Amino acid sequence: MPLTNPWLAGPAPDRELPRERLEERILNLLSTHNMAVVATVNPDGSPAATPVRFYSLGFEIFYTSWNSSPKSRNLRRDPRVSAAVFAPLVGQASSRGAQLFGTARTIERDHPDADGYWEAFRWQSEQVERGRSLDSPPQDPLTIIAPDRIVYTEHWLRRDGYKPRQTWRPA
């Protein structure tokens, strides 16, 4: 039987992708997708996973969240976080995603760093979606996830002799 993607057969390569190419692929994924599943730790130690719409600046992702939400309360108590971003899967060859591991911080609208993030946040579309005026930007807090490790998976890398799971850490 002919194989559509014969490079998927057999053992996976173990070669590392050069850092600049890995970073380019991660940044491409983060800038072309806007949904993530954010995992936090509940007070009893159990996991809590929540889908969020996010935006990115470099390797950081950020989203709005009310201070009273379970994920925000969890992050105030324990800022360790994991987030998963993934492309639609139509077969093994299309498997592509990233797991971000790190810490989260929430900043209020009046925080000195907030303007830089709000400039990258396409808040205008959310205002229109909610029937709100574009004359008054949102005042919601932003939660920023700064990864200290990203595990990037792309099975298409096997085609060029690279392992399908690569790990990135800040330089």
Side-chain angles (χ1 to χ4, degrees):
M1 175 164 79
L3 293 175
T4 305
N5 299 302
W7 44 268
L8 284 172
D14 62 359
R15 196 163 55 135
E16 296 286 335
L17 191 64
R19 183 177 181 89
E20 66 185 32
R21 289 185 58 200
L22 175 59
E23 289 182 346
E24 179 183 356
R25 289 180 121 80
I26 294 169
L27 293 173
N28 176 281
L29 180 74
L30 297 179
S31 66
T32 59
H33 292 78
N34 68 350
M35 291 299 297
V37 176
V38 173
T40 61
V41 181
N42 283 319
D44 66 2
S46 63
T50 308
V52 299
R53 178 167 46 182
F54 75 89
Y55 296 92
S56 64
L57 270 178
F59 296 100
E60 292 181 322
I61 66 170
F62 53 97
Y63 57 90
T64 59
S65 181
W66 296 315
N67 287 326
S68 61
S69 74
K71 66 183 166 298
S72 293
R73 287 193 314 264
N74 286 346
L75 289 171
R76 272 195 304 279
R77 192 187 68 267
D78 184 344
R80 293 177 301 160
V81 67
S82 177
V85 177
F86 54 94
L89 179 66
V90 293
Q92 187 72 20
S94 70
S95 179
R96 184 170 166 243
Q99 296 167 278
L100 289 75
F101 301 90
T103 56
R105 67 186 174 109
T106 298
I107 59 174
E108 298 297 329
R109 187 63 183 97
D110 60 355
H111 188 280
D113 295 340
D115 285 342
Y117 289 100
W118 276 109
E119 285 179 27
F121 199 105
R122 293 182 264 316
W123 60 268
Q124 296 86 348
S125 63
E126 287 196 12
Q127 291 291 86
V128 170
E129 192 177 334
R130 294 175 168 183
R132 296 179 180 167
S133 170
L134 293 178
D135 295 330
S136 57
Q139 297 300 308
D140 301 339
L142 290 171
T143 298
I144 300 137
I145 297 174
D148 54 38
R149 178 172 53 109
I150 298 175
V151 177
Y152 178 77
T153 301
E154 181 185 335
H155 281 277
W156 197 262
L157 291 172
R158 291 173 61 147
R159 184 179 168 96
D160 293 326
Y162 295 105
K163 64 183 184 177
R165 182 168 288 130
Q166 304 275 332
T167 301
W168 174 91
R169 294 183 191 277

